[in-house]
Amino acid sequence: MNKRILGLMSISASLISAHSLAAGFQLNSQSATGIGRAFSGDAVIADNASVLSRNPASMAMFDSPALSLGLTYADIDVTIKDVNYGPINYGSERDAAEDKIIPNAYYIHPLNERLAIGVAAFSNFGTGTDISALNNSGAAVTPVDLFGKTEIVTMNFNTSLSYRVNQQLSVGAGLDLIYGEGTLNRTGEVIGGSTVQSTLVDVEADGWAIGGIVGATYEFNDKNRLGMSYRISPEFVAEGKVNYGGQSYDEIHIPLPNILQIAGYHELNPQWAVHYTTQHTSWSDFDHITVTGSQAEQTVKSYQWKNSWLFSLGATYQINSKWTARAGYMYDQGVVDELSSLSIPDSDRNWYTAGATYHLSRHSSIDFGLALVRGEDVEVKENSSIPGLGQVVGHTRSNAAYYSMQYNYSF
């Protein structure tokens, strides 16, 4: 394996930081190609090496080494407004998340007619909001346990293997070495205008975990195929500065969901193809964020989300030998059930996407992808544990625009 490629993957993945614009804090930004078609059919199309992020079995369709390197710029628009407790108004935060650059890298290497190996660096999860400014409203009593900075970022370093069973069926499996960072801070004046300060949560921690993915593809012929994958995500454990309720702990635990994906691709004629994806994410696994230490386990935050579905549909049009165009639509179901949170805004979202590929030569191409993500206005009701307070109400909305570019090379 080329050491330069592996080094570039490590550097790229280490830059990842993002606010999620998918259900919960799941990311959909793994490739420019995928963004352009709303990730429809991404687990089985296999038009470049980025398929490795969705289904390792699809590597069996490559007959030569392939490399893909990409960057996505996420223009994030998260608004949290009209936050109040009865007659007390804490104000609004109209820029609660920063714009981010999200890189990715993939390399697939066929070993023989049946076996292929691949390595990848990308992210599946990330969120980042900062609403600590709401602590400065000057109100008589402030819910500092609800207002603060929240950031969770994970990075996948994946190694996968595929095996072609016969002309139709291929299977694959991969190992995810996941690096993650978490920052949670809840600090401010509990009683406004006085010196009564409170630091309820102060966490800056990181760590590693191991997950995996299995997949399969079935090729009816060279124009019609189906793919399926199942990604197993661990409970992520991070160490570092972990302070909660005035006490120090050893670790913070963040459970991550598993992801099931089914995709199809159908070439209608030499110019047109349609593709689709159905995805299920087990967000009910993300029930509590906890801290542990010698003095036992404490729950920092309960979420109790529900499992979610994602549906996407897209089409590809071969304009000529140089240009390929694609477009897609995705419906992404929100995960919030009875417990909602100001720090991780969520709702059903609609994705409207378009993209293109320019073929530089027989071996190389550049992909472009654009996605407009539109969320819904959601009323959030969250209970504060600060004495004298109860249910705090606010309104949230998350929108985004993704601009993505990717270079592909077939050796």
Side-chain angles (χ1 to χ4, degrees):
M1 190 74 59
N2 191 313
K3 291 184 178 179
R4 269 187 216 172
I5 293 172
L6 290 176
L8 182 57
M9 288 180 173
S10 298
I11 293 170
S12 295
S14 68
L15 299 174
I16 294 174
S17 180
H19 174 81
S20 165
L21 256 298
F25 53 92
Q26 187 173 352
L27 291 174
N28 278 314
S29 57
Q30 289 82 9
S31 72
T33 327
I35 286 175
R37 57 185 172 228
F39 293 96
S40 59
D42 247 36
V44 75
I45 294 180
D47 44 2
N48 58 59
S50 66
V51 70
L52 192 51
S53 69
R54 300 281 172 160
N55 187 358
S58 294
M59 294 191 298
M61 287 183 274
F62 289 77
D63 54 13
S64 63
L67 171 71
S68 291
L69 303 171
L71 284 174
T72 297
Y73 176 75
D75 183 1
I76 310 297
D77 178 17
V78 176
T79 299
I80 299 171
K81 63 181 181 178
D82 301 329
V83 182
N84 64 82
Y85 172 66
I88 302 175
N89 193 308
Y90 299 106
S92 302
E93 178 57 69
R94 300 189 181 277
D95 191 17
E98 295 181 355
D99 300 343
K100 298 295 182 181
I101 295 176
I102 312 169
N104 53 73
Y106 308 93
Y107 178 72
I108 293 174
H109 190 90
L111 301 175
N112 53 45
E113 292 182 356
R114 289 188 178 270
L115 289 170
I117 191 171
V119 292
F122 57 95
S123 179
N124 277 325
F125 302 103
T127 185
T129 57
D130 189 351
I131 56 173
S132 54
L134 299 181
N135 286 318
N136 302 322
S137 65
V141 183
T142 305
V144 301
D145 56 332
L146 306 184
F147 303 158
K149 183 176 182 179
T150 302
E151 186 165 18
I152 301 171
V153 178
T154 69
M155 293 154 280
N156 282 38
F157 297 90
N158 172 272
T159 300
S160 293
L161 183 72
S162 69
Y163 177 74
R164 179 171 286 283
V165 179
N166 53 43
Q167 189 173 354
Q168 282 77 40
L169 179 65
S170 300
V171 295
L175 184 70
D176 289 327
L177 184 59
I178 305 169
Y179 173 75
E181 297 178 347
T183 299
L184 298 172
N185 186 269
R186 301 291 184 269
T187 302
E189 290 185 348
V190 176
I191 301 177
S194 75
T195 58
V196 180
Q197 291 276 51
S198 178
T199 299
L200 301 181
V201 184
D202 188 13
V203 174
E204 289 186 20
D206 62 359
W208 294 86
I210 295 177
I213 184 171
V214 294
T217 62
Y218 191 85
E219 301 171 67
F220 297 96
N221 49 50
D222 61 350
K223 295 179 174 59
N224 298 277
R225 50 188 180 267
L226 297 175
M228 181 177 69
S229 67
Y230 187 74
R231 172 159 262 118
I232 303 165
S233 300
E235 177 178 281
F236 188 80
V237 180
E239 299 178 347
K241 181 173 67 175
V242 182
N243 299 322
Y244 174 64
Q247 299 185 42
S248 295
Y249 291 82
D250 300 324
E251 300 171 336
I252 183 168
H253 297 247
I254 303 172
L256 298 176
N258 301 325
I259 304 169
L260 171 67
Q261 187 169 114
I262 300 172
Y265 171 84
H266 305 284
E267 184 179 313
L268 305 179
N269 56 49
Q271 285 187 301
W272 283 100
V274 295
H275 25 84
Y276 47 87
T277 286
T278 298
Q279 179 177 290
H280 179 267
T281 306
S282 63
W283 276 114
S284 61
D285 295 335
F286 183 70
D287 49 1
H288 308 286
I289 293 179
T290 59
V291 292
T292 58
S294 57
Q295 64 273 44
E297 179 178 272
Q298 295 288 336
T299 298
V300 175
K301 182 72 176 177
S302 294
Y303 288 93
Q304 299 178 15
W305 286 349
K306 61 185 178 182
N307 297 335
S308 69
W309 288 94
L310 174 157
F311 305 96
S312 66
L313 177 65
T316 298
Y317 178 68
Q318 189 68 43
I319 300 173
N320 52 43
S321 61
K322 286 291 186 180
W323 285 97
T324 303
R326 59 185 61 90
Y329 166 77
M330 179 195 300
Y331 172 74
D332 194 12
Q333 188 180 47
V335 301
V336 172
D337 199 0
E338 294 182 2
L339 295 180
S340 54
S341 171
L342 291 166
S343 59
I344 307 182
D346 188 62
S347 71
D348 294 350
R349 295 184 177 96
N350 295 288
W351 292 58
Y352 307 95
T353 76
T357 298
Y358 179 71
H359 301 272
L360 298 168
S361 68
R362 188 166 64 92
H363 294 283
S364 62
S365 63
I366 297 178
D367 287 342
F368 306 92
L370 168 66
L372 299 179
V373 186
R374 293 295 176 260
E376 299 176 350
D377 290 319
V378 175
E379 183 179 68
V380 175
K381 298 178 179 180
E382 190 170 11
N383 290 318
S384 173
S385 61
I386 300 300
L389 288 173
Q391 190 176 77
V392 177
V393 179
H395 297 82
T396 68
R397 185 180 181 93
S398 298
N399 295 328
Y402 284 157
Y403 308 92
S404 189
M405 182 179 295
Q406 177 178 304
Y407 175 74
N408 308 299
Y409 191 84
S410 178
F411 294 84

